[in-house]
Amino acid sequence: MTGTAEMTGTADMTGTADMTGSADRDAWRRWRLPLALVAVIILAGTLIALLQPSRPTIGYLDPADTGPYGTHALADLLAGRGASVLRTGTAAAAVAAAGQSGATIVLTSPQYLSRRQLAALAPASSHIVIVEPDAAALAALAPGVRLDNATPITTVQPGCRLQAARLAGNADMGGIGLRLLPGMPGGVSCYRVEGLPSLVQYGAAGRVITVLGVGAPLTNGELARHGNAALALNLLGQARRIVWLVPAPAPLAGAGSGAGSAPLSSLLPAGVYLVAFQLVVALLLAALWRARRLGPLVPEQLPVVIRASETVEGHGRLYQSRRARGRAAAVLRAAMLTRVLPALGLPPGAAPGSVAAVLAARSGRPGAQIADMMYGQPPGTDAALVALAADLDALEREVLAQ
């Protein structure tokens, strides 16, 4: 009796675990596509947020702008020290304003200049300060400098022999990491963040070329922090004339150029295309989810008589195509019990432990083996399913033969 009770408890626990595992798998199949859709939407939203500009494109580093990202305060300080600050919007105007007097050209947002405009600045004899450059600007105006990895903006010490930086002390630097090629005359690299300098300076063709990896120390909102103002004044205050070149973004510059209206696609920000792509992916996933949704089988009267063997083969192929080994094993086990239980004198709803005990007594096999065969986990492979079917057939023959 004790052995029978133990086997009954073991079989019940096995059956409960099987049902729980099957329910978990069904829940996962039901929710995996909606969860994948939500994950794609979150990922796309995060990507769009990361690709948004971290600063405004209009008024940024503009000496006429009094907002937190403009440089009106720095222009006033320079004017108070006797320097004239001339704001221009094109490369040709900047070259004309600089003249031959040894002025300093400050170039901000160089990504808005074309290669032809950058080439127009290259022959100028003026000193030049490039703020937050791109590769094209460096190739045309500062060939001795290369771009490196982006670095965080933080307060850092100069760490170089440049007098303007040493007098200023700590400043908020970082941003675009720079590399100064070896052998540049008078080359210095200052304010290293993660090992990369964010200010480099060298001489070429009688002029001084200065490259800043970040424009934050020049802005109205950050100028009063640490040594930002001192650094800006030390770099620019020696010139009597400062030509501040603030190019406009290409769509804005082309809107009133008289060369014709810009196409609509050029006016759309990159985020619009990313959102459109996100919606297309969401639509495809929703269509895929609904198209592959399976429900319970619906019985109906067939217009013709189909042989039982064809029905069995069709069910088998269906189970095989969907890898429904658990359902196929449940059908095999249920069919075997339906044929065997009357011979054992047990009702159709007999407890798994009682069925396993009686089958073990009639067949001579261990009770644990019978319980695993009748109520164990679904087979994990097709070969294991075939082996289970063969074992059930052999057990049925052994039981019915007595």
Side-chain angles (χ1 to χ4, degrees):
M1 292 296 291
T2 302
T4 303
E6 291 177 353
M7 287 191 293
T8 301
T10 302
D12 290 340
M13 292 176 62
T14 305
T16 302
D18 187 19
M19 293 174 61
T20 303
S22 178
D24 292 341
R25 286 190 295 273
D26 291 340
W28 166 245
R29 294 190 186 98
R30 184 168 59 253
W31 288 101
R32 59 185 176 182
L33 285 177
L35 291 175
L37 179 60
V38 172
V40 169
I41 293 176
I42 294 175
L43 180 62
T46 304
L47 182 61
I48 292 173
L50 293 176
L51 291 179
Q52 293 300 316
S54 58
R55 55 174 174 81
T57 56
I58 299 176
Y60 182 64
L61 299 180
D62 190 338
D65 191 281
T66 58
Y69 298 102
T71 55
H72 184 75
L74 177 58
D76 282 349
L77 291 177
L78 291 171
R81 300 181 66 170
S84 61
V85 180
L86 305 177
R87 182 192 183 281
T88 62
T90 64
V95 173
Q100 302 296 326
S101 61
T104 296
I105 297 177
V106 179
L107 173 58
T108 66
S109 303
Q111 67 272 17
Y112 296 136
L113 293 179
S114 65
R115 295 184 181 275
R116 179 178 298 179
Q117 293 171 317
L118 291 172
L121 287 174
S125 59
S126 305
H127 305 309
I128 187 166
V129 177
I130 308 173
V131 184
E132 296 183 0
D134 58 1
L138 292 181
L141 304 176
V145 183
R146 295 291 185 270
L147 297 180
D148 212 307
N149 297 328
T151 60
I153 299 176
T154 183
T155 304
V156 61
Q157 296 180 352
C160 65
R161 68 177 186 275
L162 182 64
Q163 188 72 5
R166 294 178 60 186
L167 293 175
N170 294 348
D172 294 326
M173 300 295 287
I176 300 174
L178 306 171
R179 284 190 299 110
L180 182 63
L181 298 183
M184 294 294 104
V188 289
S189 300
C190 305
Y191 295 104
R192 295 181 179 271
V193 179
E194 296 182 353
L196 298 176
S198 50
L199 185 156
V200 296
Q201 188 179 90
Y202 70 99
R207 62 176 180 170
V208 177
I209 299 174
T210 306
V211 182
L212 288 172
V214 64
L218 312 180
T219 61
N220 300 326
E222 304 292 332
L223 189 65
R225 285 174 49 86
H226 306 296
N228 294 347
L231 177 63
L233 292 174
N234 292 340
L235 291 176
L236 302 176
Q238 303 302 321
R240 308 309 300 172
R241 176 182 297 180
I242 300 174
V243 180
W244 206 291
L245 175 54
V246 185
L252 297 179
S257 61
S261 300
L264 179 61
S265 59
S266 66
L267 303 178
L268 295 178
V272 173
Y273 298 99
L274 293 176
V275 170
F277 176 74
Q278 172 187 349
L279 293 177
V280 170
V281 172
L283 180 61
L284 292 177
L285 288 176
L288 182 63
W289 169 41
R290 299 300 297 178
R292 298 187 62 181
R293 185 175 182 180
L294 300 177
L297 298 177
V298 179
E300 61 176 328
Q301 296 293 330
L302 298 178
V304 296
V305 177
I306 300 178
R307 292 184 298 173
S309 60
E310 295 181 1
T311 303
V312 172
E313 291 177 0
H315 285 175
R317 292 192 185 98
L318 178 62
Y319 292 154
Q320 184 180 20
S321 65
R322 305 307 306 162
R323 295 182 176 87
R325 303 184 188 93
R327 182 173 297 182
V331 170
L332 293 174
R333 288 164 172 168
M336 187 268 194
L337 289 177
T338 300
R339 295 189 296 269
V340 169
L341 287 181
L344 299 177
L346 295 175
S354 301
V355 175
V358 175
L359 287 175
R362 294 288 292 270
S363 64
R365 298 189 182 193
Q369 179 184 357
I370 298 297
D372 181 67
M373 185 187 306
M374 300 304 303
Y375 305 104
Q377 295 292 329
T381 62
D382 291 343
L385 179 62
V386 172
L388 175 63
D391 291 340
L392 291 175
D393 287 340
L395 179 60
E396 181 179 353
R397 288 194 298 270
E398 293 173 6
V399 172
L400 297 181
Q402 297 183 9

